[in-house]
Every structure is written in C-alpha cells, then in structure tokens.
Amino acid sequence: MQSFVYHGLPSRVVFGQGTLSRLAEEIEQLGCRRALVLATPHQQEQAREVLEQLGERGAGLYAEAAMHTPVEVTERAMRVVEELGVDCTVAIGGGSTIGLGKAIALRTGLPQVAIPTTYAGSEMTPILGETRDGIKTTQRTLEVLPETVIYDVDLTLSLPAGMSGTSGINAIAHAVEALYARDRNPVISLMAEEGIAALARSLPVIAENPSDQDARSDALYGAWLCGSCLGAVGMSLHHKLCHTLGGSFDLPHAETHTIVLPHAVAYNAPAAPEAMVRIARALGCEDPAAGLFDLARAVGAPTALEEIGLTPGDVERATEIATRNPYWNPREVEAEGIHRLLHHALVGRRPASEKGAHR
C-alpha cells in the first residue's frame, strides 16, 4: 500500500430523525447563550421556528443568505452580529446559508452549528467560497469548519424532488474528485465510494417518492460521507469549473455541479483509471461519465448548461477564467480540451469517458 496522510477534522455530528430537538442542548455544550439563526429568504419561516425553539438562547434571525456567499451580504450580517451581541450562529438550510455562517466565523471566530436541509455537504468542510465583484475565490482553513452538525432526516422530507436530485449529485461530485485527489488516502476513498453508492441508489427512489424515509436517510448519510471527503482532501478540475460558472456567470450551484460532473469525469478518465473503476462500481455501470449523466436524467435534473442560463458566447470567457489559475488535476488542464468540455456541457451531450493515458 502506498504511503498516505489522513487527518480527521474536529467536528461533532448528530445524525438521525428528530435530532433538531437537541439544538439547544448542543448550543449549551458549546458554552453559548445568544445564537443568531441564519437562513435564506426562502427558508425564513423555518428559521423562525428554530429561533422560537431556542427560547432565551435565540438572539435573533438573519435571513438574507444568498448563493455563492456575496461579501456584501456577509457585511450586512456582520452588523447584525455586532448589534445583537451574539456568541454563536445556527445555519439552517443548504450551502448558501452554511456558507454565510462560515464567512461570519472567519471574521469573528464565533462557533457554528450547521443544520443542513439539502445534500450539499458544505457543513463538513473547512472550505469557504466567497464572491466579490463577480469573481468567486475559495480558501481552506479550520476557522470556518462548523463545530457541530445536526443531520435531521425529517428536515429533508420536504426538499422538492428536483432539488434533491441536483443537491445529491452535487454531493457525489465531492466524492468523485476525492477519489483522484493528489492527497487522497484509503480512508477517504472508502468513504467516497460508499457515499456515491448511497446517493446513487437513493436519489432515483426519492425522485419517484420524495417521502420515502429510508431513501431520505440513505441520501443524507451519503451526503455526510461525500461532504467529509470534500473537507479532507483537495478538489480538482470539476470544482474549478463550477466555481467559475457560479461566481462569474451567476449559475445556480447544485444544477451547475450536476451538469458539469459527467463531462469533468470524461476528461479526467484516462489519467485516473483506478478512480474510474470505483466510481463505476458505486454507480453500478460500466462508464462512469455516462453513468453520472444517466443518473441526472433519471432524477429529472437538467443536463445542459444552456438550460440554466449559459450562452454559447460565454464559453470562451469561462474557458479563459477556468484555465487562468487551475487547481491541481490528474490530467493537464488544456484550454482546447476545457473549451470542448464546456461546449459539450452547454448543449447537454451525453459524454463517454476518454481513453488513453493523459497526465
């Protein structure tokens, strides 16, 4: 076996059904007394219920979280933090809300409780992506890792089937790239394959029956594993492309990941054969790129970037931004190949894994 380094991240995970009832207890365990509840405008009422549940431990509510964590939104939240004298945050929602909690933690050091209601996985990572002037940048630091994560399967039962599919495939993307990461290790690879398999078997069931509790539990379990992979090792081409498309073209996060992933896998396949075997095995298919595309179709997710707002004229600029400062990738990042990848993703062409031995 090759040498490796595994570093376990210091977070507490509470998983099950009805676990939201333990929120006040978890805040007390952190030694906190004045929690600011965070949410998007869409989840404001749910967040208000959480605030009421906290009673005297709830200091207030800020429900302006937005995709890609714009710095201007964070700056407004910081004023609320100061005015209310809060000593921790509680983020309930998906990656947008959890990202806001991380941005506040980076600036203040306040402890965080994350309560994910989607499968995005941000709650398990020490990674923060922020957008300023149309450019999204990311950083990795333990300062933004939530101290406590409460996974409550009941909170995902109302997640629309369409959003469940894209959110779940977004989570799968974390595990896929963990399998060919430069700093991959056997522990994370086991978690990655198990996470992909759990989501691949549960998402089609949820698409047919969103209230299936066993499938919801399986999907949330898979999302936790995939998020843990994202938090433990580096990401590559797929995440760079999605950060570019989201931050510079304002495309929706989960849908962008869902569409791009099969094409990124097809591009990297010849340089990461062992990873491709594990991805295919987890999906139960022969070609991992085509299998991911077919999974997206099976759950009713979009498969073309033009469906979510990218235009043919955007491809050139997206290629330039994505290749300017590329993340490490198992296959060399070449402008011509990335342009072709983005064009195929634009029109929704079903990909097939490339053959050869690119490095």
Side-chain angles (χ1 to χ4, degrees):
M1 178 177 291
Q2 67 180 43
S3 300
F4 66 91
V5 174
Y6 171 73
H7 181 73
L9 297 178
S11 61
R12 173 177 169 85
V13 173
V14 180
F15 188 101
Q17 290 189 256
T19 48
L20 180 60
S21 64
R22 297 177 55 174
L23 176 58
E25 175 186 338
E26 294 299 324
I27 290 176
E28 182 178 4
Q29 182 161 316
L30 289 172
C32 299
R33 295 181 177 277
R34 292 185 58 78
L36 177 65
V37 180
L38 307 173
T40 60
H42 177 70
Q43 290 185 274
Q44 182 171 355
E45 288 308 310
Q46 187 178 33
R48 196 174 300 281
E49 292 175 5
V50 170
L51 180 63
E52 292 174 358
Q53 176 185 324
L54 286 175
E56 62 181 14
R57 291 188 183 275
L61 169 64
Y62 181 80
E64 295 184 27
M67 282 195 311
H68 311 304
T69 321
V71 292
E72 59 270 21
V73 173
T74 301
E75 288 167 357
R76 291 197 295 270
M78 286 297 300
R79 289 195 287 271
V80 176
V81 167
E82 293 169 5
E83 290 168 4
L84 296 180
V86 305
D87 60 7
C88 70
T89 62
V90 174
I92 181 164
S96 298
T97 304
I98 292 168
L100 176 59
K102 290 179 170 185
I104 293 171
L106 181 67
R107 290 159 173 80
T108 64
L110 291 179
Q112 308 170 71
V113 178
I115 309 170
T117 59
T118 71
Y119 305 130
S122 175
E123 66 280 353
M124 292 306 299
T125 78
I127 301 168
L128 171 63
E130 295 185 282
T131 302
R132 184 191 296 271
D133 299 328
I135 300 295
K136 186 171 184 177
T137 57
T138 62
Q139 58 181 304
R140 178 184 289 262
T141 169
L142 286 176
E143 293 177 20
V144 304
L145 181 70
E147 279 74 10
T148 303
V149 180
I150 297 176
Y151 287 105
D152 190 334
V153 175
D154 293 342
L155 296 178
T156 66
L157 295 176
S158 59
L159 187 65
M163 192 179 299
S164 298
T166 55
S167 179
I169 297 175
N170 176 20
I172 287 174
H174 310 328
V176 163
E177 294 226 298
L179 285 168
Y180 52 66
R182 177 167 48 181
D183 53 352
R184 65 189 179 276
N185 62 72
V187 177
I188 292 300
S189 293
L190 285 170
M191 295 173 69
E193 186 171 346
E194 172 72 359
I196 295 169
L199 283 158
R201 64 177 174 255
S202 59
L203 293 178
V205 176
I206 291 169
E208 292 292 326
N209 181 13
S211 61
D212 188 305
Q213 295 191 22
D214 288 338
R216 288 291 189 181
S217 182
D218 215 13
L220 197 58
Y221 164 70
W224 166 47
L225 292 175
C226 292
S228 298
C229 294
L230 175 64
V233 297
M235 296 289 111
S236 301
L237 173 65
H238 168 79
H239 282 76
K240 177 64 174 183
L241 291 173
C242 292
H243 290 160
T244 296
L245 293 169
S248 299
F249 299 89
D250 200 31
L251 299 189
H253 183 83
E255 289 85 346
T256 301
H257 276 269
T258 298
I259 295 166
V260 170
L261 181 61
H263 301 278
V265 166
Y267 183 90
N268 278 333
E274 293 179 12
M276 297 303 137
V277 169
R278 300 188 78 144
I279 297 165
R281 185 164 60 209
L283 294 171
C285 67
E286 293 187 5
D287 184 328
L292 288 164
F293 185 88
D294 293 343
L295 176 61
R297 288 201 297 197
V299 302
T303 55
L305 289 174
E306 61 186 4
E307 294 180 55
I308 60 171
L310 199 73
T311 69
D314 294 328
V315 171
E316 194 73 39
R317 179 165 172 254
T319 301
E320 192 277 325
I321 296 172
T323 56
R324 189 185 302 156
N325 295 297
Y327 298 172
W328 180 89
N329 195 60
R331 176 179 174 181
E332 184 179 354
V333 177
E334 302 168 329
E336 181 180 350
I338 300 308
H339 191 281
R340 182 167 57 250
L341 182 164
L342 287 172
H343 175 71
H344 290 169
L346 175 75
V347 299
R349 175 179 174 180
R350 184 176 185 265
S353 298
E354 294 188 30
K355 307 299 183 184
H358 296 278
R359 294 292 176 188

